[in-house]
Amino acid sequence: MANTNNQLTIYNSYAFGTLTQEDVQTVHQTIAKDCNESQFRLFMGVAKAADANPLIGEIYPTVYQGKLTWQFGIDYHIRKAKEMDGYMGYDVQVIHENDEFEYSMERAEDGRYYLSIEKYKGGFPLGKPIGGYAMAYKEGFMPFSVLMDIEEVEHYKRSAIGMQKTMWTNNFKDMFKKHMVKRALKAAFGLRFDDGDGEQGEGPAPYNPYERKDITPEADAVAVAEKEKPPLQGNGEEPAVNLLDQARSDMKRKFSQLGITDPADMQSYILKHANPKGSKPTLPELKGLLKIMDMHIAEKAAQEQANDELPV
């Protein structure tokens, strides 16, 4: 009994929201039973900073090979999206090999492209899952879409983390839907919280919705700066570098980092994010595009590093 009282004293500073000291102890004895004391205190600190309730599956820990990781559940993503202005729900669908499915890229009035489902017709037998899509709806915007091939998530079935492998194997379609919805909601509402691990040290700062940086004024500033200096720069000894060629080279390199290699996919990406006024992006448009690509590369790297979309 004395040991229990000591634990409750330690846990007391981590009680938050509607969680009582007993609730926090329950978390430690159930979903966080594999955590040692320091790992548990860190996990509860992360949950508190993110305003995520572990009792209802909004965040959960796992310890693999002595290393703590934490993951945010689908309910947390949905709640945070609902707290943002303009939330109008989402749709998600798994596509099977016997379905009739067609999609296209449509251009909105603002010049940006969005995914349009042209035809979806299913029946029994369904056949094997081959892909899927999720759409998040935000007032005043075209749908934010995620379209995925099944091969993009097959690696979860081979995960070294037992729970992850089990859930993705036994509940594959449910897990696949949640995975797509998370990505769509993040894209639509700029949700900037990520799964993580205890090696991050002090844990995350208190949660704040991501505010996307407006790149337009910066792009305009670049355009003015370029007009004030020669288009070619060099030191007289080394070959001069054309700024537009350099930007195009950077764009190709970043496409490779994003895993976008098909020319048609590249063109769609450019049209969507650079919104060029002409047939080819100008230098200011490319500068803005490169910054957006950096954002997407960072998001892709975080997802690959985590690689731990555990059950929710």
Side-chain angles (χ1 to χ4, degrees):
M1 179 65 68
N3 183 46
T4 299
N5 289 335
N6 288 337
Q7 285 185 340
L8 290 178
T9 300
I10 294 172
Y11 299 163
N12 184 41
S13 63
Y14 294 94
F16 64 98
T18 59
L19 294 188
T20 65
Q21 292 178 341
E22 290 76 12
D23 288 335
V24 179
Q25 185 181 26
T26 298
V27 172
H28 197 179
Q29 293 174 343
T30 54
I31 65 172
K33 59 183 174 57
D34 295 328
C35 296
N36 59 35
E37 287 297 322
S38 61
Q39 289 172 336
F40 180 70
R41 287 196 296 269
L42 174 59
F43 169 70
M44 291 304 295
V46 170
K48 182 177 181 180
D51 183 31
N53 190 333
L55 276 183
I56 59 176
E58 291 187 337
I59 186 172
Y60 40 89
T62 187
V63 177
Y64 175 68
Q65 295 183 344
K67 179 182 178 181
L68 169 68
T69 62
W70 56 82
Q71 295 77 39
F72 292 97
I74 184 63
D75 290 339
Y76 180 70
H77 288 73
I78 294 173
R79 178 165 70 85
K80 286 302 178 182
K82 287 181 177 179
E83 292 174 0
M84 306 292 286
D85 292 336
Y87 176 80
M88 296 178 63
Y90 63 89
D91 286 325
V92 61
Q93 182 65 53
V94 175
I95 306 301
H96 301 81
E97 59 184 354
N98 292 336
D99 294 340
E100 297 181 42
F101 177 72
E102 296 179 4
Y103 72 93
S104 64
M105 297 300 294
E106 302 292 336
R107 193 167 190 173
E109 294 181 358
D110 63 2
R112 296 184 181 275
Y113 282 78
Y114 65 94
L115 181 69
S116 174
I117 306 301
E118 299 296 323
K119 181 179 182 180
Y120 174 68
K121 184 178 181 181
F124 292 97
L126 297 174
K128 296 180 180 179
I130 58 174
Y133 67 86
M135 293 185 175
Y137 303 110
K138 184 176 183 180
E139 186 177 2
F141 294 86
M142 301 306 299
F144 291 78
S145 306
V146 170
L147 180 69
M148 298 189 70
D149 188 283
I150 212 72
E151 293 297 325
E152 297 182 61
V153 295
E154 283 289 341
H155 63 280
Y156 290 123
K157 293 183 179 180
R158 303 186 295 272
S159 172
I161 301 176
M163 183 184 296
Q164 183 181 62
K165 180 178 180 179
T166 298
M167 293 303 296
W168 275 90
T169 301
N170 296 343
N171 306 283
F172 180 79
K173 289 197 285 188
D174 186 46
M175 296 297 293
F176 186 36
K177 287 181 179 179
K178 292 175 180 178
H179 181 79
M180 291 187 291
V181 171
K182 286 181 182 181
R183 294 183 60 176
L185 291 176
K186 280 189 172 184
F189 297 97
L191 304 181
R192 301 296 293 177
F193 48 83
D194 295 304
D195 300 339
D197 59 65
E199 293 184 355
Q200 292 179 342
E202 299 178 358
Y207 172 77
N208 286 303
Y210 172 68
E211 295 181 1
R212 181 169 178 173
K213 182 179 179 182
D214 185 358
I215 62 172
T216 304
E218 185 171 347
D220 291 341
V222 171
V224 173
E226 298 307 326
K227 291 179 180 179
E228 295 177 350
K229 62 184 178 181
L232 297 180
Q233 295 181 334
N235 57 12
E237 296 180 358
E238 298 178 358
V241 178
N242 185 288
L243 296 177
L244 186 58
D245 289 342
Q246 182 63 56
R248 289 171 178 165
S249 177
D250 291 343
M251 179 182 66
K252 292 179 181 179
R253 175 172 53 82
K254 293 180 188 295
F255 268 132
S256 178
Q257 291 177 267
L258 288 169
I260 301 175
T261 57
D262 184 85
D265 292 339
M266 292 181 184
Q267 183 64 18
S268 295
Y269 187 98
I270 293 171
L271 290 173
K272 179 178 180 180
H273 298 292
N275 191 21
K277 296 180 176 62
S279 59
K280 293 183 179 180
T282 63
L283 181 58
E285 290 169 342
L286 281 176
K287 290 286 187 179
L289 177 65
L290 292 175
K291 289 190 176 294
I292 293 176
M293 297 180 82
D294 284 337
M295 292 168 52
H296 291 167
I297 290 170
E299 292 173 357
K300 181 174 181 290
Q303 291 173 354
E304 291 177 347
Q305 181 179 4
N307 192 20
D308 53 4
E309 291 282 348
L310 293 178
V312 292

